[in-house]
Amino acid sequence: MEFFWLLLIAGVVVLLQALVLGRRSLRQIDYERKLSRSHCHVGDDIEMIEIIQNKRRIPVPWLRLESILPAGFQFGHQAETAISEGTLYQNHTSLFSLSAQTRITRTHQITCRQRGVFHMDSALMSAGDVFGLARANRPLRIETRMTVYPAYTAIDDMPEAYRSWQGEVEVRRWTNEDPFLITGVREYSSGDPMNQIHWKATARTGQLQVYRQGYSADPEVMILFNIEINEQMWRVVTEPMVAEYGLSCCATIAADLIGKGMKAGFGHNAIIATEDEQDARILPAYGSEQLSTLLQCMAEVQLKSRQPFHEFLQSFVPQSSQENEPIHKMDILIVTPHVSQPIKQAITILEQAGSTVSILNVPDIEQLKKSHWNQSVYDKPSRKVSG
């Protein structure tokens, strides 16, 4: 009889603890996740901070936290965390206990290995009683966004053509005529546009005179990136490393130009999140805010072609709404893995319209695999972590 009562009391205790510690175990349990930075470059280290607080006066025997995070985030070792990695995502599972009225902070060291805009806005929290008779689950909505810009490339790792182009831009920086800066008049020369004739000076001297223009110290450079790896590529990029290196070059060029006080813009023919094609081009402007805008645009580039690059180039052919209206011209730098015949034809049209066009060829996959850039940025080994 005594054994029966002992079993009965034990059963009641087990049921009570299941009721108190099981189904109600997630009440007054708060969870918060934040990142040390909202944006960084590929290869940078950041911290993900998790704060879990038990506001109850009753401990939580076990608590499991599951999160789906981007595969491009390389986590440092955490003893209580098991990580299962896939191609696009990795599943993080943590298991621990919480004492009564306890607040714990967990800091994860992360290396960002992949460019892009990442949303980490969900997690699942589970808890239960000591014997696993009852449990509670709570999905968590967490607004966490991380933007990873392309890595900057060392100037020595840039294609040789960039250094030559760099010197040419520096020379043209002080030799480009500025149509809005008038310093005087001069005699008419063959090829001068008729809208530059200074009629009062012509009447006074009896010979055709035109405005003498000053020189622009700030050429406007438009960086145009071709997502197509080769002429046969249909839609999806088959060699992501080539495209990522091209975007890395674009980021380096933009930072270099803006750092020297020049205007820089960016455009591409890749798929974008919005349907507005104008979001795929940022016109040249000055300053650190402009650089942030350009890097954001580069981070959003998806590895799929939106339209053939030669068609994209044709949209930059200067247009004039009036016959005598001066056409706005820019320096155009094309960053591309290949130059097809249609691209050459589009470049010729741009040059005939008065734009200065230069080409920066992106190395092929075999060259990149042997390069220092490959070893230092995108070829870091993935660390498998098990708990």
Side-chain angles (χ1 to χ4, degrees):
M1 182 63 69
E2 293 180 356
F3 182 69
F4 170 77
W5 286 109
L6 182 63
L7 288 177
L8 180 62
I9 293 172
V12 171
V13 171
V14 169
L15 290 175
L16 287 175
Q17 69 87 34
L19 179 64
V20 176
L21 300 178
R23 297 187 181 278
R24 300 181 181 182
S25 56
L26 290 180
R27 292 184 180 182
Q28 299 185 34
I29 303 294
D30 293 339
Y31 175 80
E32 180 184 359
R33 177 198 292 164
K34 56 185 177 180
L35 300 173
S36 57
R37 286 188 282 172
S38 62
H39 58 269
C40 68
H41 291 267
V42 170
D44 287 351
D45 295 327
I46 63 170
E47 291 182 345
M48 185 177 79
I49 302 167
E50 294 180 303
I51 301 174
I52 305 106
Q53 183 174 8
N54 180 13
K55 296 180 178 179
R56 303 175 68 196
R57 296 182 179 180
I58 302 174
V60 179
W62 63 268
L63 187 145
R64 184 171 66 190
L65 188 64
E66 296 181 80
S67 301
I68 302 297
L69 301 170
F73 288 3
Q74 179 175 299
F75 282 75
H77 178 68
Q78 293 283 341
E80 71 277 10
T81 303
I83 302 177
S84 176
E85 292 192 59
T87 305
L88 299 177
Y89 299 98
Q90 52 185 311
N91 182 50
H92 285 232
T93 304
S94 302
L95 184 63
F96 47 91
S97 60
L98 278 177
S99 302
Q101 295 182 324
T102 300
R103 174 189 174 102
I104 64 174
T105 300
R106 307 168 70 218
T107 301
H108 305 269
Q109 302 296 327
I110 302 175
T111 300
C112 298
R113 299 183 299 163
Q114 185 179 342
R115 174 194 57 83
V117 179
F118 304 98
H119 296 271
M120 299 168 285
D121 52 9
S122 65
L124 178 65
M125 185 184 294
S126 304
D129 67 294
V130 176
F131 299 100
L133 298 178
R135 66 188 307 175
N137 299 311
R138 189 208 302 173
L140 304 171
R141 297 296 301 174
I142 309 156
E143 296 296 332
T144 308
R145 169 174 160 151
M146 184 67 193
T147 302
V148 183
Y149 302 145
Y152 287 136
T153 299
I155 298 299
D156 291 341
D157 293 334
M158 291 282 285
E160 183 65 31
Y162 176 66
R163 289 186 283 276
S164 301
W165 176 84
Q166 213 177 14
E168 292 175 6
V169 169
E170 286 294 332
V171 172
R172 289 202 306 272
R173 190 177 184 184
W174 305 106
T175 59
N176 286 341
E177 289 187 339
D178 187 340
F180 301 103
L181 181 61
I182 307 302
T183 61
V185 295
R186 59 173 174 81
E187 290 187 5
Y188 175 85
S189 299
S190 176
D192 287 335
M194 295 299 293
N195 64 345
Q196 293 297 315
I197 295 178
H198 192 304
W199 294 108
K200 289 185 178 180
T202 298
R204 186 172 60 251
T205 61
Q207 294 181 334
L208 278 176
Q209 302 287 315
V210 296
Y211 291 104
R212 175 181 290 151
Q213 298 171 338
Y215 295 97
S216 172
D218 300 306
E220 299 185 5
V221 178
M222 193 71 185
I223 307 164
L224 302 183
F225 175 62
N226 182 14
I227 196 68
E228 298 170 336
I229 301 304
N230 51 55
E231 194 173 1
Q232 290 73 39
M233 194 191 97
W234 174 243
R235 184 175 177 85
V236 179
V237 174
T238 54
E239 298 292 352
M241 186 184 295
V242 176
E244 296 295 349
Y245 176 78
L247 286 168
S248 184
C249 289
C250 291
T252 302
I253 295 166
D256 189 28
L257 292 172
I258 290 177
K260 292 178 179 176
M262 289 186 275
K263 290 184 178 181
F266 176 68
H268 62 85
N269 64 325
I271 288 287
I272 50 179
T274 66
E275 296 183 359
D276 189 353
E277 186 177 323
Q278 293 303 314
D279 290 344
R281 62 184 74 194
I282 309 295
L283 293 178
Y286 301 105
S288 58
E289 185 175 342
Q290 171 72 357
L291 179 58
S292 297
T293 302
L294 298 182
L295 292 173
Q296 178 70 32
C297 184
M298 295 174 194
E300 294 172 353
V301 169
Q302 299 181 28
L303 299 183
K304 296 180 181 179
S305 174
R306 186 181 75 256
Q307 67 179 135
F309 189 63
H310 67 274
E311 294 181 6
F312 180 64
L313 285 180
Q314 291 170 2
S315 68
F316 284 88
V317 176
Q319 302 292 328
S320 177
S321 59
Q322 300 179 8
E323 184 178 352
N324 295 327
E325 182 182 338
I327 296 175
H328 187 68
K329 303 168 186 176
M330 293 183 293
D331 280 68
I332 295 176
L333 177 61
I334 296 174
V335 180
T336 177
H338 75 100
V339 182
S340 64
Q341 191 61 36
I343 291 176
K344 291 180 181 177
Q345 293 172 353
I347 291 174
T348 300
I349 295 174
L350 283 169
E351 291 176 334
Q352 290 174 346
S355 295
T356 301
V357 183
S358 302
I359 298 175
L360 189 69
N361 289 106
V362 177
D364 60 28
I365 185 65
E366 295 303 323
Q367 292 173 305
L368 286 176
K369 285 181 177 179
K370 300 175 183 177
S371 68
H372 170 71
W373 179 87
N374 171 53
Q375 297 298 323
S376 61
V377 178
Y378 287 98
D379 200 31
K380 292 183 180 180
S382 176
R383 289 174 288 192
K384 301 287 183 179
V385 182
S386 59

